[in-house]
Amino acid sequence: MVKLGKKIVKYRVAILIAGILLLIPSVLGYINTRINYDVLTYLPENIETMQGQDIMVNDFGTGAFSMLIVDGMEDKDVSKLKEQVEEIDHVSKVLWYDSVADISMPQSMLPDKIYEVFNSDTGTMMAVFFDESTSADGTMDAITEIRKLAGKQCFISGMSAIVTDTKELAESETPVYVLIAVLLSTIVLGITMESLVVPILFLLSIGMAIVYNLGSNYFFGEISYITKALAAVLQLGVTMDYSIFLMHSYEEQQIRFNGDKERAMAHAISQTFSSVVGSSVTTIAGFFSLCFMSFTLGKDIGIVMAKGVVFGVLACVTILPSMILCCDKLIEKTRHKPWLPNINRLSDRVTKHYLVFVVIFLVLLFPAIYGNNHTSVYYNLDETLPKNLPSVMANEKLKEDYDMNSTHILLVDSSMPSSDVSKMMKEIEKVDGVKWALGIESLAGPGIPSEMIPSEATSMLKTDDYQMIMINSIYKVASDEVNAQVDAINKITDKYDEGALLVGEGPLTKDLIDITDHDFKMVSIVSIGVIFMIILILFRSVSLPVILVGVIEFAIFVNMGIPFYTGTTLPFVASIVIGTIQLGATVDYAILMTTRYKRERSRGAGKYDAITTAHKASAQSIIVSALSFFAATFGVGMYSNIDMISSLCILMARGAIISMIVVVFILPSMFMVFDKVIVKTSSGFLPKKAADNSKKNNRNSDNALTNGAQV
């Protein structure tokens, strides 16, 4: 690796030029990568609710629908508005009561259900159907056009409107996320590093790696808005370790080689690459474990972040060393004494009073596990969005004026007899929380015989293969009540048509709850198992994987358990993603300290001296890295108005501090307790002579036992 380091040092200018040129295709790729703002699209395609969505598109030409509420407008003006809405691109059809009969017809002649469904004391409502899916660009563009057309007295609700507002909010906030992360990380690094220029070089090299990562997402076609919002901040926090390790190694090597900076950097690159490979592989493995989720948002985040770590490592050992050497004079001119207290005394105290920290670990362990297992999560994605968003206001108005919280779409066989359809709808309307069920049978009334219903109206609700029934629920999406309601409706429909499909936001979210509950358990098992195996291979030890993973999982339990005791409800993604992110990030700190502990023991140092030296050598890097990770994520968490992003960032920020405390205080204490076990069950923890003598003694004792047995 030293040869590679020398080549990087020799061709540093060419490396910087190549790095800058690569930014051009990366920026173009970033701009042209589509962003998906609907997390429900990441559900498995083979589940019934997703199959029902496909039928809606293929048979009815409808991928999504919204309710357009109109207040204080005369019927003739509403009818004109309806016609204008129908002319908007990607609006396939609009259902209002003039779809059934002319507005000149007295309201008393309309079917009672039709009038009740579409009218309130303050105005009227129409159902707008789109020809593309909920989060398609065409649907979101149509929502924007309807808002421009309708004016202030109109409100458009539904998941597509929520997705449109989420997109606008995320696009306005994401650049600020990066600015906050960079600014706060610069402040932390400026205080803790020995030069004011070095933090800028760190952020420039990491920034280039982030651009490469985001640009290469173009080949995936699209990524989630959650991935886009978190990728830059998360990559900055996770890969900052590598830059800090390189700089500290470079400073050590300068002392070794009497100020020969090029030679020192070549050896620093070699040493950093060797150290970083182990920790980066475990981090990458942690992110890749998200790919085992059947809810493919995990795969989206996992692949992008694993790729980001790879780019971060490459930038750390190529671009950053080139920058440091090229800016050497500036670094020297801006040197200052770091405002970080000397931690040598802390290291001595940790190893001397290790039993105190072991007791703290044991006292907190069970409350942490209990809290982690009982933290509440929410699945209703619009519940914590800002209340002043147009879609949130529209949903609230829909609830207040029409007693509508969610709408299910039931697809049944079009050949089902009308009498059976009517019976089924009456049974469905008796289900707790169902206000009405509206199908083609509902359009007929005393003034409108079924044969007089316009074909335009019937085509909205019936095709050659399926007929559509809209079901209004007074219960909120993702609530226990609506989930029980979905089960009850499915039981009823199975009696009449076993092939019936119930779709919509409510049934989809119920599937989301069931699937992610299974995914969380799967990801936890896979991530722990993979990282356990990597640590086992890396240190050739049976005991160290148990100790390291156990300590890191303790840090995760504490972090995820705190919301239970504070009464905080987390977004469902947090329970899946944070454990993996914190596991992957924290293992870097643990491996850094363990590697130094192993080196000191292999050189003949005793237990106390080896652990104290390892602590002194690594704790400062761990503290700086954790503080920069905290700064990058905490600022974003406090700023973001999207609770999904805010909660994840607050959890990551708190997790960085908890992990730092656990690795700095608990891990060395565990080394003190289990040193004998570690040495006996691990390779390379004893000097070669001692190891050889140990093997001889073992062989001699085996021979003695054999001879004794023979006698």
Side-chain angles (χ1 to χ4, degrees):
M1 287 305 300
V2 175
K3 288 182 179 179
L4 177 62
K6 288 178 179 178
K7 286 185 178 180
I8 291 169
V9 169
K10 183 179 179 181
Y11 297 108
R12 56 186 178 272
V13 176
I15 288 170
L16 281 178
I17 293 170
I20 292 167
L21 291 175
L22 283 172
L23 290 173
I24 298 170
S26 299
V27 169
L28 292 173
Y30 171 71
I31 293 169
N32 290 291
T33 301
R34 186 183 181 275
I35 307 302
N36 186 347
Y37 292 88
D38 183 5
V39 297
L40 294 177
T41 59
Y42 292 98
L43 286 167
E45 294 181 359
N46 60 346
I47 60 175
E48 286 190 359
T49 44
M50 294 298 282
Q51 290 172 356
Q53 296 281 95
D54 292 338
I55 291 169
M56 290 279 290
V57 174
N58 298 330
D59 286 45
F60 292 90
T62 299
F65 69 93
S66 290
M67 297 299 182
L68 177 60
I69 305 165
V70 183
D71 278 355
M73 190 180 288
E74 292 185 10
D75 284 353
K76 62 178 182 178
D77 294 324
V78 175
S79 185
K80 286 179 183 177
L81 175 63
K82 178 198 165 194
E83 290 175 4
Q84 290 174 315
V85 170
E86 285 177 322
E87 291 175 2
I88 293 173
D89 287 343
H90 300 292
V91 173
S92 62
K93 50 187 93 77
V94 181
L95 181 64
W96 189 48
Y97 63 74
D98 76 340
S99 303
V100 179
D102 192 272
I103 57 171
S104 61
M105 180 181 287
Q107 292 174 349
S108 59
M109 295 183 67
L110 290 169
D112 292 340
K113 186 175 290 185
I114 293 294
Y115 185 76
E116 290 171 5
V117 165
F118 289 106
N119 289 278
S120 71
D121 295 336
T122 57
T124 189
M125 172 187 72
M126 59 184 81
V128 182
F129 295 88
F130 304 97
D131 60 14
E132 290 189 353
S133 62
T134 302
S135 59
D137 293 333
T139 303
M140 289 189 282
D141 291 341
I143 293 283
T144 304
E145 289 302 313
I146 292 170
R147 283 174 173 167
K148 288 178 183 177
L149 185 68
K152 291 183 179 179
Q153 66 190 114
C154 301
F155 304 83
I156 187 157
S157 67
M159 194 61 192
S160 293
I162 289 288
V163 169
T164 303
D165 287 342
T166 303
K167 175 186 177 182
E168 292 176 3
L169 187 60
E171 285 183 347
S172 66
E173 287 192 353
T174 300
V176 184
Y177 297 162
V178 178
L179 183 63
I180 291 171
V182 168
L183 182 63
L184 294 180
S185 293
T186 303
I187 292 170
V188 169
L189 292 170
I191 292 170
T192 54
M193 302 299 289
E194 293 184 354
S195 170
L196 296 175
V197 172
V198 168
I200 297 171
L201 299 182
F202 282 5
L203 293 169
L204 282 173
S205 65
I206 295 171
M208 291 172 74
I210 290 170
V211 174
Y212 300 151
N213 186 30
L214 294 176
S216 62
N217 292 332
Y218 173 77
F219 298 103
F220 299 149
E222 67 175 26
I223 59 169
S224 159
Y225 80 95
I226 297 173
T227 306
K228 179 189 175 184
L230 293 178
V233 175
L234 195 52
Q235 189 174 337
L236 173 66
V238 169
T239 61
M240 181 64 75
D241 304 358
Y242 311 146
S243 301
I244 294 168
F245 297 166
L246 176 83
M247 196 65 199
H248 285 170
S249 178
Y250 175 51
E251 288 167 352
E252 286 179 5
Q253 296 300 326
Q254 283 188 73
I255 297 169
R256 179 184 172 191
F257 294 110
N258 297 318
D260 186 343
K261 294 185 176 180
E262 291 190 4
R263 193 178 176 191
M265 182 58 80
H267 283 265
I269 291 169
S270 172
Q271 192 177 81
T272 301
F273 189 77
S274 300
S275 300
V276 162
V277 163
S279 59
S280 65
V281 166
T282 52
T283 306
I284 291 167
F287 286 127
F288 265 128
S289 66
L290 293 173
C291 298
F292 285 84
M293 292 172 60
S294 50
F295 181 57
T296 54
L297 177 63
K299 180 181 177 182
D300 191 77
I301 296 172
I303 291 178
V304 171
M305 287 316 307
K307 183 160 56 69
V309 174
V310 173
F311 280 119
V313 172
L314 293 175
C316 174
V317 296
T318 56
I319 293 171
L320 181 58
S322 304
M323 284 182 173
I324 291 171
L325 290 173
C326 290
C327 299
D328 181 65
K329 290 182 180 179
L330 273 175
I331 293 171
E332 292 301 324
K333 284 181 181 179
T334 57
R335 281 198 175 275
H336 66 84
K337 189 176 180 181
W339 293 290
L340 199 66
N342 190 301
I343 60 166
N344 288 349
R345 289 182 181 177
L346 176 66
S347 300
D348 290 328
R349 287 176 181 174
V350 168
T351 45
K352 280 182 180 177
H353 304 289
Y354 69 92
L355 287 176
V356 174
F357 300 110
V358 172
V359 170
I360 292 171
F361 168 79
L362 294 173
V363 168
L364 293 178
L365 179 60
F366 294 103
I369 293 172
Y370 184 85
N372 174 74
N373 293 339
H374 291 84
T375 293
S376 300
V377 297
Y378 68 83
Y379 294 84
N380 192 354
L381 305 178
D382 64 327
E383 193 170 310
T384 54
L385 287 170
K387 300 301 179 186
N388 60 349
L389 285 183
S391 55
V392 175
M393 292 169 64
N395 283 351
E396 191 62 29
K397 188 168 181 61
L398 192 67
K399 174 187 172 184
E400 291 175 0
D401 294 357
Y402 297 89
D403 202 16
M404 290 179 68
N405 255 315
S406 58
T407 304
H408 315 316
I409 301 291
L410 177 62
L411 301 174
V412 296
D413 194 329
S414 62
S415 63
M416 184 188 293
S418 297
S419 57
D420 286 350
V421 173
S422 297
K423 286 179 185 177
M424 181 180 69
M425 288 172 61
K426 286 177 182 177
E427 282 192 54
I428 289 172
E429 287 180 335
K430 292 178 182 177
V431 172
D432 186 32
V434 172
K435 188 176 181 183
W436 48 256
L438 178 67
I440 198 165
E441 308 300 323
S442 310
L443 301 182
I448 311 173
S450 56
E451 60 271 12
M452 290 183 62
I453 298 172
S455 59
E456 180 189 350
T458 57
S459 65
M460 289 185 194
L461 300 173
K462 192 171 185 178
T463 67
D464 292 339
D465 297 317
Y466 293 93
Q467 55 182 307
M468 181 196 303
I469 297 169
M470 298 176 69
I471 302 169
N472 173 30
S473 172
I474 65 172
Y475 294 138
K476 282 186 176 182
V477 169
S479 64
D480 292 338
E481 292 84 359
V482 85
N483 292 339
Q485 183 184 87
V486 167
D487 287 334
I489 293 171
N490 280 325
K491 284 181 181 178
I492 292 169
T493 57
D494 284 344
K495 292 190 298 184
Y496 294 91
D497 179 10
E498 291 185 356
L501 298 169
L502 189 64
V503 299
E505 190 184 354
L508 280 167
T509 306
K510 182 179 183 299
D511 284 341
L512 176 68
I513 294 169
D514 295 337
I515 288 167
T516 52
D517 183 57
H518 171 266
D519 280 346
F520 175 63
K521 295 170 185 173
M522 175 63 71
V523 168
S524 296
I525 293 168
V526 171
S527 60
I528 291 171
V530 170
I531 289 178
F532 185 96
M533 291 303 298
I534 290 171
I535 294 172
L536 187 149
I537 294 166
L538 187 65
F539 291 106
R540 291 178 292 171
S541 171
V542 175
S543 55
L544 278 174
V546 177
I547 295 168
L548 265 59
V549 171
V551 168
I552 294 166
E553 282 296 311
F554 168 71
I556 294 169
F557 291 154
V558 171
N559 189 24
M560 292 298 295
I562 288 173
F564 169 74
Y565 295 105
T566 58
T568 305
T569 304
L570 301 176
F572 73 95
V573 174
S575 58
I576 301 169
V577 174
I578 289 299
T580 303
I581 291 171
Q582 194 174 344
L583 179 66
T586 314
V587 79
D588 292 354
Y589 308 155
I591 287 175
L592 177 67
M593 185 175 289
T594 307
T595 302
R596 190 57 185 262
Y597 162 51
K598 178 180 178 180
R599 188 188 307 168
E600 295 302 319
R601 281 300 259 146
S602 68
R603 290 175 176 174
K607 174 178 77 171
Y608 177 83
D609 291 337
I611 297 168
T612 304
T613 302
H615 193 279
K616 288 177 181 177
S618 57
Q620 187 167 340
S621 295
I622 292 168
I623 292 168
V624 172
S625 176
L627 289 177
S628 63
F629 196 171
F630 170 81
T633 50
F634 183 75
V636 174
M638 295 300 293
Y639 170 79
S640 180
N641 286 307
I642 303 173
D643 190 65
M644 184 81 75
I645 306 300
S646 176
S647 294
L648 288 172
C649 285
I650 293 293
L651 280 167
M652 285 189 284
R654 188 171 64 213
I657 298 301
I658 292 170
S659 294
M660 176 192 76
I661 292 170
V662 167
V663 173
V664 169
F665 293 98
I666 305 294
L667 184 60
S669 302
M670 292 297 174
F671 289 159
M672 291 293 291
V673 172
F674 296 106
D675 178 74
K676 286 184 179 179
V677 176
I678 292 168
V679 169
K680 288 182 178 180
T681 59
S682 310
S683 175
F685 272 79
L686 288 173
K688 285 187 178 180
K689 289 182 179 178
D692 291 341
N693 289 335
S694 177
K695 287 179 182 177
K696 284 181 181 179
N697 290 335
N698 288 335
R699 282 198 297 270
N700 290 336
S701 62
D702 289 342
N703 291 335
L705 288 170
T706 304
N707 293 334
Q710 289 173 350
V711 170

